[in-house]
């Protein structure tokens, strides 16, 4: 055995080049180069046989041929992240994945409409990047998501991709638990609120607090993430560049090569906010990069429900219809009197707020209007809180100062909770007014169930008949927990099994509630915060027990059921009381918004609803304060909406550049079956199979000079060869090709492909054939001639790498 000699390493079934042979204490040890693995190893010299002695078997041909075909499929667009077949993506989701893989690095915003499956799209990208780019330290992923959607992320990652996301923060591993979660775990899901700045701590100076907060921020930023995903990314765009959440997002975005932003509403029609959103993907936007269609098309991908299809080419989303259900008071005279009295109280409060320029009072009283529209229980509990907070004389009203600027961004639950912070004297005789209202509310509650609660039970029975299903499921939305508790009591007394979801529930509690609704419960009563991020496609009936004033919030509610895998037409029912402010505003404004849609285009519905949601409280306040002027006020409001939609058309036109064409259904992927065949053949040789079959693609041996070739039978005599070309590291920088040179005539691509398939399936080996010098030279020439196009395609405009080509298998074919 001499240096540079090729030998056969039987245990590893590969040819190795001898670098050095040494005698150590009576034992001969060889240092060898393993070309397929690119490693140098030591092996006992007596384990290395002459290269001419190696024997081929069918399974060795099969695993090499299958590995080469897998590399070719990956280079031509098939997806390593879907190799386990745990999840069947839809055409539009595959289109997003292909768009993402066309970028290096991947920095992209996924902006599909609500309910189209942005979470699995992001997980597909994650799995693909992990399979293609995992280095020695693995592939590190951070998902930044609101608490309410983390359960969905964890479940979909596990069920659809076999991946585990570790929760850090509330209900997961504490950030300050003593172990550094950012280093300890490679795949983390986290909410920014878990490292929000600590404002005060006993005995700590301001400098110490600043140092502590900065250290917590830097720890997550400097953890070395390969991919960062922001869900609901429009929330981190921030009102200005100085908002803490946006600055943290900017630092995270700048620290990672791969970045995904998920948002169904990436802009609000304002160029500055949209620019901040895009700055996360490309810092050049902060330096003045032009905001144009080409830039948006480069960084954003969007699918719309109207063009989405399933894998059979059929429309993906069933129709959605909405009906307004006007609820009469009937004999509920006390309830009607309570509603009118609270409305009068709100009118006084609103007028006082405008006169005294105290917007906090306006927030408070408008919340009371929504509460009385929701339920007697909700307004009664709110009045009790208000009565305990009002003092006869003294300090100014303290009104949740930390939240007042973002009042409209809070959910009904959060606004209701804020009542506890509203202390002080609001206006002259408010205390006595609240006492009278509270007495009326208590008497109303004692008189029986609310008119809307009775209507709900009647509607449920009606739906059972219309749907032909006594156990038909109904999703009920309310803004307030107090109303939720009341409805659970009403349904329970009626013998209707029901469960609840709200924002105070933990992730595990939410999971139990969803499971119960899917299994045995007929009704799920959810608040808006509770319903955030949940998937309830198994239900198709939605009842908006009370309506949020912002029209876009209703769209978000319906997105819980009107989403991928919904099999039935979705029906939504909006309850409003007769002679109520809600009914009057909805009827007048609805008519005017339909006129706007007729003018600007029905495809602008989402934009119209978003614009109408801005400043809607002012219209309701005017409807309460001056009901006789409602039509005039609504006309002015609608004109503002129309102007906003037209003024924001530039931003929306930019986003339209990101909308994908309707993709065609993709053929089934060949890769999963191919990898399974490769693993079976490799294991049949007696080798230990790696946990991840993709590892085998990096272990493909070379067929070296002096190594005999296996002989198989085929349609034409000649030489078949498998080649791998590389332009750069990573699976997307490799490709394989096959060449068949017949003994006579030109190369035959058709025979090459047919023989490739035969070898993968398991061609019988008829024997070994040493290659002559001429035969080896002809093989090398064939590889050089026909692999250049493959190599050139891999370069893709990069700086020209050092050419790299390896023969992976040569086979003699006889008839």
């Amino acid at each position: 055995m001499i240096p540079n000699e090729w030998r056969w390493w039987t245990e590893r079934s590969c040819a190795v080049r001898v670098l050095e042979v040494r005698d150590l204490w009576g034992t001969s040890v060889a240092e060898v180069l393993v070309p397929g693995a690119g490693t140098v190893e030591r092996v006992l010299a007596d384990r290395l046989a002459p290269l001419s002695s190696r024997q081929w078997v069918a399974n060795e041909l099969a695993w090499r041929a299958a590995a080469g075909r897998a590399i070719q499929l990956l280079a031509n667009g098939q997806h390593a992240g879907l190799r386990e077949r745990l999840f069947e993506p839809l055409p539009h989701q595959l289109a997003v994945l292909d768009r993402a893989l066309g970028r290096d690095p991947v920095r992209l915003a996924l902006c599909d409409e609500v309910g189209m499956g942005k979470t699995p799209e992001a997980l597909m990208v994650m799995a693909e990047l992990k399979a293609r780019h995992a280095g020695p330290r693995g592939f590190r992923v951070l998902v930044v998501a609101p608490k309410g959607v983390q359960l969905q992320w964890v479940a979909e990652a596990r069920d659809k991709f076999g991946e585990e996301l570790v929760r850090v923060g509330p209900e997961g591993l504490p950030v300050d638990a003593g172990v550094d979660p950012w280093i300890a775990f490679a795949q983390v899901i986290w909410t920014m609120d878990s490292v929000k700045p600590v404002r005060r701590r006993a005995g700590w100076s301001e400098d110490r607090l600043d140092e502590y907060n900065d250290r917590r921020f830097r720890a997550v930023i400097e953890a070395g993430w390969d991919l960062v995903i922001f869900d609901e990314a429009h929330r981190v765009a921030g009102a200005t560049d100085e908002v803490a959440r946006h600055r943290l997002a900017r630092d995270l975005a700048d620290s990672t090569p791969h970045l995904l932003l998920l948002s169904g509403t990436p802009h609000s029609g304002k160029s500055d906010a949209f620019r901040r959103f895009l700055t996360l993907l490309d810092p050049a936007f902060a330096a003045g990069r032009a905001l144009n269609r080409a830039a948006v098309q480069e960084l954003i991908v969007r699918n719309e429900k109207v063009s989405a299809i399933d894998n059979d080419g059929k429309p993906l989303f069933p129709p959605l219809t909405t009906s307004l259900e006007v609820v009469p008071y009937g004999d509920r005279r006390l309830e009607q009197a309570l509603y009118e009295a609270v409305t009068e109280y709100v009118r006084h409060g609103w007028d006082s707020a405008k006169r005294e320029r105290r917007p906090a009072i306006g927030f408070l009283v408008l919340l009371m209007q929504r509460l009385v529209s929701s339920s007697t229980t909700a307004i009664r509990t709110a009045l009790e809180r208000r009565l305990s907070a009002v003092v006869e004389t003294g300090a100014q009203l303290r009104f949740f100062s930390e939240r007042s600027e973002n009042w409209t961004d809070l959910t009904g639950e959060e606004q209701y909770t804020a009542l506890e912070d509203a202390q002080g004297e609001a206006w002259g005789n408010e205390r006595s007014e609240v006492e009278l209202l509270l007495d009326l509310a208590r008497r109303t509650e004692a008189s029986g169930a609310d008119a809307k609660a009775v209507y709900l039970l009647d509607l449920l029975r009606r739906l059972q008949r219309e749907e032909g299903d006594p156990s038909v499921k109904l999703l009920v939305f309310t803004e307030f927990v107090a109303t939720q508790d009341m409805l659970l009591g009403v349904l329970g007394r009626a013998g209707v099994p029901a469960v609840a979801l709200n924002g105070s529930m933990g992730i595990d509690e939410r999971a139990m509630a969803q499971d119960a609704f899917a299994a045995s419960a007929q009704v799920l009563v959810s608040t808006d915060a509770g319903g955030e991020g949940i998937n309830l496609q198994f239900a198709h009936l939605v009842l908006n027990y009370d309506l949020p004033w912002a029209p876009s919030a209703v769209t978000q509610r319906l997105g819980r059921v009107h989403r991928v895998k919904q099999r039935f037409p979705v029906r939504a029912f909006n309850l409003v009381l007769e002679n109520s402010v809600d009914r009057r505003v909805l009827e007048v404004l609805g008519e005017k918004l339909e006129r706007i849609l007729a003018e600007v285009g029905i495809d602008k519905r989402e934009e119209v609803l978003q614009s109408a949601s801005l400043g809607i409280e002012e219209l309701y306040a005017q409807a309460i304060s001056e009901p006789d002027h409602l039509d005039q006020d609504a006309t002015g409001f609608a004109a503002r909406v129309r102007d906003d939609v037209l003024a924001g058309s530039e931003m929306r036109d930019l986003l339209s550049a990101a909308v994908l064409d309707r993709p065609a259904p993709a053929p089934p992927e060949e890769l999963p079956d191919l990898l399974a065949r490769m693993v079976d053949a490799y294991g049949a040789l007696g080798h230990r199979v790696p946990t991840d079959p993709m590892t085998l693609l990096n272990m493909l041996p070379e067929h070296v000079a002096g190594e005999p070739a296996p002989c198989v039978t085929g349609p034409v005599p000649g030489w078949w060869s498998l080649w791998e070309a590389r332009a750069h590291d990573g699976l997307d920088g490799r490709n394989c090709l096959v060449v068949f040179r017949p003994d006579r005539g030109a190369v035959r691509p058709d025979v090459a492909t047919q023989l490739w398939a035969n070898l993968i399936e398991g061609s019988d080996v008829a024997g070994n054939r040493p290659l002559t010098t001429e035969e080896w030279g002809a093989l090398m020439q064939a590889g050089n001639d026909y692999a250049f196009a493959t190599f050139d395609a891999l370069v893709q405009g990069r700086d020209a790498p050092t050419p790299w080509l390896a023969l992976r298998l040569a086979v003699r074919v006889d008839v």
Side-chain angles (χ1 to χ4, degrees), residues 695-710:
T695 306
L696 284 177
L697 303 184
N698 297 320
M699 297 167 57
L700 191 57
E702 286 192 34
H703 196 133
V704 302
E707 182 178 2

Side-chain angles (χ1 to χ4, degrees), residues 697-809:
L697 303 184
N698 297 320
M699 297 167 57
L700 191 57
E702 286 192 34
H703 196 133
V704 302
E707 182 178 2
C711 300
V712 302
T713 58
V716 181
W719 285 94
W720 181 94
S721 53
L722 168 67
W723 300 85
E724 181 184 349
R726 290 189 189 181
H728 56 88
D729 292 335
L731 290 177
D732 56 347
R734 308 165 60 184
N735 200 351
C736 283
L737 70 151
V738 291
V739 179
F740 179 72
R741 288 183 62 92
D743 291 343
R744 295 181 180 178
V747 296
R748 294 283 301 273
D750 56 329
V751 176
T753 302
Q754 178 185 342
L755 288 170
W756 201 357
N758 294 345
L759 292 171
I760 292 171
E761 289 300 317
S763 295
D764 291 334
V765 178
N768 287 3
R769 163 80 177 270
L771 282 82
T772 66
T773 302
E774 292 77 11
E775 288 170 335
W776 181 258
L779 277 176
M780 293 299 102
Q781 187 61 51
N784 290 335
D785 289 345
Y786 293 100
F788 174 75
T790 299
F791 173 79
D792 189 54
L794 290 171
V795 174
Q796 293 182 342
R798 295 180 174 88
D799 292 337
T802 301
W804 192 99
L805 182 66
L807 175 64
R808 294 307 190 187
L809 181 59

Side-chain angles (χ1 to χ4, degrees), residues 166 257 312 341 441 482 568 591 648 785:
V166 176
D312 294 323
F568 300 100
E591 178 184 344
D785 289 345

Side-chain angles (χ1 to χ4, degrees), residues 352-363 396-397 425-427:
S352 176
K354 289 181 64 177
R355 186 171 56 254
E356 300 175 20
R357 296 182 179 179
R358 299 171 70 186
I361 296 175
F363 289 145
Q396 293 290 321
L397 177 67
E425 184 179 11
W427 61 83

Side-chain angles (χ1 to χ4, degrees), residues 612-675:
S613 297
L614 302 175
I616 189 69
E617 292 204 349
E618 180 75 21
L619 178 63
Y620 273 87
Q622 292 169 337
I624 295 166
S625 180
E626 299 180 280
D628 293 340
H629 296 167
L630 175 58
D631 189 75
Q632 178 181 342
D633 292 336
T635 298
F637 180 84
R640 193 270 300 165
V641 169
R642 175 185 174 279
D643 291 345
D644 281 354
V645 171
L646 294 176
S649 60
E650 180 181 355
M651 292 297 101
R652 295 176 179 90
D653 286 344
L654 288 179
L655 189 60
S656 69
V659 176
L660 294 178
D661 294 332
R662 173 178 290 190
E669 297 231 341
E670 182 183 344
L671 187 63
D673 291 336
L674 195 67
L675 292 176

